[in-house]
């Protein structure tokens, strides 16, 4: 990957839709296929967790079975435990992801255990993935603040990221789960993590709750990070974090990156169209300024 | 002003409200007073233009007459011609502003004359202001793109900015009128203008149509610019530019600046409250992520 290429990790079908009202299987399949057709090369397609906790993802196996598989695209799944991993393998997911928190308070409230305990729980998943020759991506949440613990030290984020990396995660995605970060803090956090994990193995996963995500991404690009998690139409949010709204919209990130001369391989027009379709299914407007502006522009053409 | 201070130029009562439905005089006065009480030190309070063109601003003289005057606050008015300037003086505006365009196409379509002709028209205003010892601020529109001409060369922006500066404007506000700019282009534009006009005399006036304004501002701060135009609650837009939405929200900019360690002198909580009140008058939600997040957070406290 050249220095002017940025990899977009599209999390809309999972991180997005798990925090929206349920949509029919057909709409999910159409979304994943439309994203691939728009040139997205990494799509977090579903998650294999208890449907009791996340009913919106109960049909992830059916989604994996029904999508068209594009050879250039990685279709990934979130798998918090071995049972989930096995289900993901049965569904022939290309990759899996696990998640830790940079905040003790969030870990306790969200998954009822300490950070160290949560990491220990992932060891069997990583071991099983190694045997199956399946790559594991690691998420770290609350990297720029926690609804319970407030500010999180960059060193704390670096510690958790390094743990996941040494455990075997090939990429660490740094999540501003509640979208409270600002540019300097984002840079400081990323720099601290990059002392422990190579920059090429890091991704930004910033929510836009306080409207800061794009500014934070723009401020981190000069440090060398080249993988960004986004959700088409700004789908989703965080059900455990009060006031938290959706991921930064893929359309807004792609527009910015292309304007800055970065290559994403994504066709913005087709991407906007993919977001528009799923938003029609949800009965809502895309939470993407780029999508809204382009749709308004063409409506008055 | 120290390097860590940023001056917010609040344009909501003028650039904002002139592009919304009309609100009662009382609501406008309350907005201006609430902004001053929140610590905003520069408020574009109204405009003296033909009510045929901008009916929303027809009561600007009444607004100036009714507001409480805070000694630490500059209450400014937009005055495109001598008649407007005289009306602004009768209303005891502290400062006035004029506007040019960086785009020939926009100038022709918007004010029916060339850029050079438009600048010539402002000479009597600047001359009258000089005699009255009144400062004149100059706007340049379309600095990062034009709905008619497309891309605008940074050198073209620098040329118009220098013209306004040498004509006597003490500050040049660089407007991304249609909100299409991205961070690198914003930096290149600002750097080109700063070769002709001192950085201390420059301001950024970025609309958020494509969601890029905050990223653009964050990217320009390291170049040394320390004056930012914003509108509380993201009020307003551009009636002449298809699909263009409002100014970047003051709340979102102030949140970012404080997070980065800059001082604005503004109380964010009172600012959010000022935006919430005018939005209730308008019957709409604040177009500020920070305001929405904070209001949602406190609603569930």
């Amino acid at each position: 990957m050249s220095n002017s290429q940025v990899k977009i990790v599209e999390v809309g079908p999972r991180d997005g839709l798990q925090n929206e009202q349920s949509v029919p299987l057909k709409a999910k399949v159409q979304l994943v296929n439309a994203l691939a057709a728009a040139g997205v090369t990494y799509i977090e397609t579903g998650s294999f967790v208890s449907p009791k906790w996340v009913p919106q993802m109960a049909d992830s196996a059916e989604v994996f079975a029904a999508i068209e598989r594009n050879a250039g695209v990685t279709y990934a799944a979130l798998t918090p435990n071995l049972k989930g991993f096995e289900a993901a393998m049965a569904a022939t997911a290309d990759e899996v992801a696990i998640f830790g928190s940079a905040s003790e308070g969030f870990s306790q409230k969200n998954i009822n255990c300490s950070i160290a305990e949560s990491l220990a729980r992932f060891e069997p998943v990583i071991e099983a993935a190694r045997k199956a020759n399946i790559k594991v991506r690691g998420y770290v949440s609350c990297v720029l603040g926690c609804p319970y613990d407030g500010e999180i030290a960059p060193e704390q984020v670096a510690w958790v990221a390094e743990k996941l990396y040494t455990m075997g995660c090939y990429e660490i995605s740094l999540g501003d789960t509640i979208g409270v970060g600002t540019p300097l803090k984002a840079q400081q956090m990323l720099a601290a993590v990059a002392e422990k994990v190579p920059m090429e193995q890091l991704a930004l996963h910033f929510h836009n709750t306080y409207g800061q995500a794009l500014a934070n991404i723009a401020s981190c690009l000069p440090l060398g990070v080249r993988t960004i998690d986004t959700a088409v139409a700004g789908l989703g949010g965080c059900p455990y974090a009060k006031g938290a709204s959706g991921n930064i919209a893929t359309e807004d990130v792609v527009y910015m990156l292309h304007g800055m001369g970065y290559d994403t391989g994504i066709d913005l027009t087709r991407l906007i169209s993919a977001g528009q379709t799923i938003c029609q299914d949800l009965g809502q407007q895309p939470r993407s300024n780029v999508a809204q502006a382009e749709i308004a522009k063409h409506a008055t053409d």
Side-chain angles (χ1 to χ4, degrees), chain A:
Chain A
M1 199 158 86
S2 92
N3 193 41
S4 69
Q5 280 186 299
V6 172
K7 184 173 109 185
I8 294 292
V9 169
E10 170 62 47
V11 299
R14 200 279 303 170
D15 196 18
L17 288 185
Q18 83 169 34
N19 296 304
E20 304 279 357
Q21 68 199 69
S22 279
V23 294
L25 172 66
K26 198 180 149 195
K28 294 182 182 181
V29 172
Q30 190 175 29
L31 172 62
V32 173
N33 289 343
L35 289 166
V40 178
T41 58
Y42 193 110
I43 304 172
E44 205 178 55
T45 304
S47 116
F48 294 92
V49 296
S50 166
K52 205 173 69 186
W53 291 107
V54 190
Q56 295 92 329
M57 292 289 114
D59 59 357
S60 282
E62 287 89 336
V63 174
F64 271 96
I67 53 172
E68 293 160 26
R69 291 293 183 108
N70 182 319
V73 178
T74 301
Y75 300 90
L78 193 74
T79 60
N81 52 40
L82 205 51
K83 193 179 160 199
F85 177 77
E86 283 157 4
M89 290 304 94
T92 66
D94 296 320
E95 278 192 24
V96 297
I98 58 175
F99 51 90
S101 173
S103 153
E104 281 296 347
F106 195 80
S107 187
Q108 290 290 354
K109 297 254 186 180
N110 193 358
I111 51 176
N112 250 313
C113 66
S114 71
I115 296 173
E117 284 164 349
S118 78
L119 297 179
R121 286 187 196 172
F122 294 128
E123 276 176 7
V125 177
I126 292 175
E127 180 55 28
R130 188 179 293 124
K131 282 184 187 153
N133 203 25
I134 291 286
K135 289 161 87 178
V136 182
R137 194 167 196 255
Y139 285 105
V140 184
S141 64
C142 295
V143 301
L144 292 170
C146 167
Y148 312 109
D149 294 356
E151 300 251 341
I152 301 294
E155 295 70 30
Q156 167 80 358
V157 183
W159 174 79
V160 180
E162 187 180 22
K163 281 275 179 199
L164 286 168
Y165 186 63
T166 52
M167 281 168 71
C169 292
Y170 79 101
E171 185 165 275
I172 311 297
S173 173
L174 303 163
D176 183 8
T177 313
I178 55 171
V180 293
T182 44
L184 269 187
K185 290 179 185 173
Q187 290 175 326
Q188 286 159 357
M189 180 278 296
L190 179 61
V193 177
E195 284 182 26
K196 305 291 185 183
V197 181
M199 190 65 87
E200 305 75 54
Q201 318 307 135
L202 296 176
L204 305 179
H205 181 109
F206 290 169
H207 284 223
N208 201 34
T209 319
Y210 283 75
Q212 310 290 310
L214 211 55
N216 294 343
I217 294 166
S219 301
C220 285
L221 286 167
L223 276 69
V225 66
R226 291 292 179 271
T227 305
I228 317 286
D229 297 7
T230 62
V232 69
L235 291 173
C238 176
Y240 307 106
K242 191 172 60 172
S245 72
N247 290 276
I248 182 68
T250 312
E251 298 93 319
D252 295 9
V253 174
V254 166
Y255 178 92
M256 180 180 81
L257 290 168
H258 290 183
M260 296 175 78
Y262 291 105
D263 177 26
T264 65
I266 293 172
D267 179 327
L268 184 56
T269 304
R270 297 183 80 169
L271 179 69
I272 290 169
S273 172
Q276 217 178 343
T277 302
I278 188 68
C279 283
Q280 278 158 1
D281 293 325
L282 286 163
Q284 67 191 27
Q285 289 296 312
R287 286 191 287 270
S288 153
N289 289 76
V290 167
Q292 286 184 17
E294 285 293 306
I295 291 165
K297 199 164 109 175
H298 294 115
T300 56
D301 269 350

